[in-house]
Amino acid sequence: MTDLSAPAWGDELPSGADIVVVGAGIVGTAIAARLAATGADVCLLERAGPAAGSSSSGEGNLLLSDKLPGPELDLAMRSLSLWHELGDEAGARIELERKGGLVAAWDAAQLSALHALADRQEAAGVAVRRLEGVDLADVEPQLSRHVAGAVFYEADSQVQPVHAVAHQLERAVANGCRTVRGAEALRWRSGVEGAAVLETTCGSLRVGTAVVNAAGPWAGELAARLGSDLPVVPRRGHVLVTEPVVSVTAHKVYEADYVGSIHDAGDGWQCSSVVESTASGTMLLGSSREFVAWSAAPAPAIVAAIAERAIALFPGLAGVRLLRTYIGFRPATPDRLPAIGWDAEIPHLLHATGHEGAGIGLSLATAEAVQCLFERRTPPVGLEAFDPARFSEAPEPTKTAPT
Ligand SMILES: Cc1cc2nc3c(=O)[nH]c(=O)nc-3n(C[C@H](O)[C@H](O)[C@H](O)COP(=O)(O)OP(=O)(O)OC[C@H]3O[C@@H](n4cnc5c(N)ncnc54)[C@H](O)[C@@H]3O)c2cc1C
């Protein structure tokens, strides 16, 4: 079991650091680990604890299958190869499993749309296998016979995100990163000549080059505290956990309309079935999407819909009992793409956030991109589509920058 309670954590706020990363989720710890490995002077601030936010509520999927060809797929492909390198180094500790993902279509229209997407993903270099009839039953024997066809993505993988956060934290600390738990970033301290000073609940620290906003679903709030506008809001999701069962599926299996639910901007809730097993034998059944701020009480109608749709995909789940339901909040931007790059107006502020339901998967390539920005190098994947400035309207000269 991973102990996150912390030999890795110091409690003393240093007087300053060149780079201050705010948020010890998967994104912040990946950045801290990567920068510290280059010898950078990094301090990681976290107000609660490691993986206290979104990163402990995800299923840990590292997916190519749900990415639309273009910048996000490119970032996901780069990140997946970095995850596989990390998996080779970290071994079983982060439970990285190259399990493969299967996307199931219920009818001919869905199947044709799924094939069209798979064609474009294949052209971008993703390995896909179209499956129907006996071939499909061979790969997923317990899948409903009402499924019209599917596409199998062998590269789709899974990791245990909390263990991955712990691993990155240890790597960061081993390379000299200072970590402070219980420190909440509040605002720039005004009246300090010639330097940026960040005020926290534990005191102030001088910032050399940048504060990195890795505050996940709170990134919009942190940006506002630092004088910027960044439209990152929480997008709620439910996940159901079953009792341990024997081999329902060895893959991640989800309905073809899942990709549409990510991009749906509707007011109500969306639910699309996602079914997968874990190393302990429990099944994770997901997932829903809705904008209801920080509402933490599970909605019975959503829990029922997730269970019904999972049983429709795998009828054998009908007699299986639920252990629990949990809620998490994805950091969502209006276009569902992350915000990675310098703030358009506020000096010393760099954003690395807004990954919606793909932050675990995209974290390592995000950290690599952040390192490239600090080193003024061109990142392997272009960042134009992720530029936080895309959300800016006309410049507002009244914004408060650090003095
Ligand atoms: C139900 C569900 C399923 C998901 N499934 C997957 C999946 O299968 N694959 C995938 O890739 N992604 C998945 N995601 C999305 C993924 O979990 C997120 O995109 C990712 O965890 C975001 O990581 P983060 O580090 O940016 O944010 P977080 O993990 O939320 O970390 C942010 C941290 O910042 C801290 N913080 C905030 N404000 C401050 C402040 N002012 N001062 C100090 N600290 C602060 C918080 O305490 C928190 O610890 C899922 C999400 C949900 C909700």
Side-chain angles (χ1 to χ4, degrees):
M1 179 176 275
T2 305
D3 178 11
L4 284 177
S5 65
W9 287 94
D11 294 317
E12 289 278 310
L13 192 75
S15 58
D18 189 41
I19 297 167
V20 177
V21 179
V22 180
I26 195 75
V27 175
T29 54
I31 292 169
R34 183 146 196 133
L35 295 179
T38 68
D41 172 24
V42 187
C43 176
L44 176 64
L45 297 186
E46 166 58 50
R47 66 179 170 198
S54 200
S55 298
S56 53
S57 41
E59 293 111 315
N61 290 299
L62 314 173
L63 301 183
L64 302 184
S65 53
D66 66 343
K67 305 294 183 302
L68 301 179
E72 198 192 14
L73 178 60
D74 295 345
L75 195 67
M77 290 171 76
R78 176 66 192 157
S79 219
L80 187 60
S81 70
L82 293 173
W83 271 112
H84 287 161
E85 279 172 27
L86 186 63
D88 292 344
E89 171 208 309
R93 175 160 190 219
I94 59 171
E95 293 180 13
L96 196 140
E97 205 186 335
R98 303 182 193 210
K99 67 199 303 190
L102 186 119
V103 187
W106 287 111
D107 55 35
Q110 263 193 4
L111 190 58
S112 144
L114 177 61
H115 283 169
L117 175 62
D119 288 346
R120 293 171 56 217
Q121 292 166 321
E122 195 171 30
V126 179
V128 301
R129 195 145 51 101
R130 293 161 190 77
L131 295 171
E132 284 174 45
V134 284
D135 295 338
L136 180 54
D138 274 351
V139 173
E140 276 303 335
Q142 298 199 43
L143 191 67
S144 163
R145 295 289 174 264
H146 296 295
V147 167
V151 174
F152 184 70
Y153 295 79
E154 66 180 33
D156 281 0
S157 302
Q158 190 176 23
V159 72
Q160 215 300 347
V162 176
H163 292 191
V165 166
H167 180 73
Q168 309 264 37
L169 192 56
E170 275 184 23
R171 283 175 80 201
V173 170
N175 284 308
C177 173
R178 286 161 296 167
T179 54
V180 187
R181 179 159 56 173
E184 176 165 347
L186 296 175
R187 63 188 77 84
W188 299 113
R189 198 164 117 197
S190 57
V192 186
E193 281 297 311
V197 176
L198 182 68
E199 230 176 88
T200 79
T201 47
C202 297
S204 300
L205 79 167
R206 215 166 250 269
V207 178
T209 301
V211 167
V212 178
N213 177 1
W218 299 273
E221 178 191 284
L222 178 63
R225 290 177 177 191
L226 299 180
S228 178
D229 285 326
L230 188 75
V232 175
V233 295
R235 194 175 193 192
R236 187 166 94 136
H238 290 61
V239 174
L240 281 50
V241 185
T242 74
E243 64 184 337
V245 294
V246 182
S247 66
V248 171
T249 174
H251 309 114
K252 176 192 174 79
V253 179
Y254 65 92
E255 293 175 300
D257 64 0
Y258 174 82
V259 179
S261 79
I262 297 173
H263 296 276
D264 193 313
D267 284 341
W269 52 271
Q270 295 87 42
C271 169
S272 187
S273 188
V274 178
V275 176
E276 65 195 306
S277 55
T278 67
S280 65
T282 58
M283 304 287 298
L284 300 180
L285 314 180
S287 70
S288 59
R289 281 182 154 80
E290 56 183 334
F291 293 105
V292 284
W294 298 103
S295 170
I302 297 179
V303 173
I306 291 174
E308 272 165 27
R309 292 186 76 145
I311 291 167
L313 267 186
F314 288 100
L317 285 173
V320 174
R321 287 173 302 179
L322 282 186
L323 281 184
R324 67 188 178 103
T325 298
Y326 68 83
I327 296 238
F329 298 91
R330 306 172 182 89
T333 63
D335 59 11
R336 314 288 180 258
L337 292 178
I340 307 168
W342 290 101
D343 189 86
E345 296 168 52
I346 303 297
H348 303 290
L349 178 59
L350 191 141
H351 302 290
T353 186
H355 298 81
E356 218 267 1
I360 311 297
L362 300 178
S363 57
L364 298 190
T366 299
E368 180 182 53
V370 167
Q371 181 193 349
C372 291
L373 288 170
F374 283 132
E375 294 175 355
R376 297 171 196 271
R377 287 191 289 119
T378 307
V381 177
L383 296 179
E384 295 76 18
F386 311 124
D387 187 348
R390 72 190 187 277
F391 302 119
S392 304
E393 294 168 2
E396 290 171 43
T398 52
K399 291 206 167 162
T400 315
T403 53

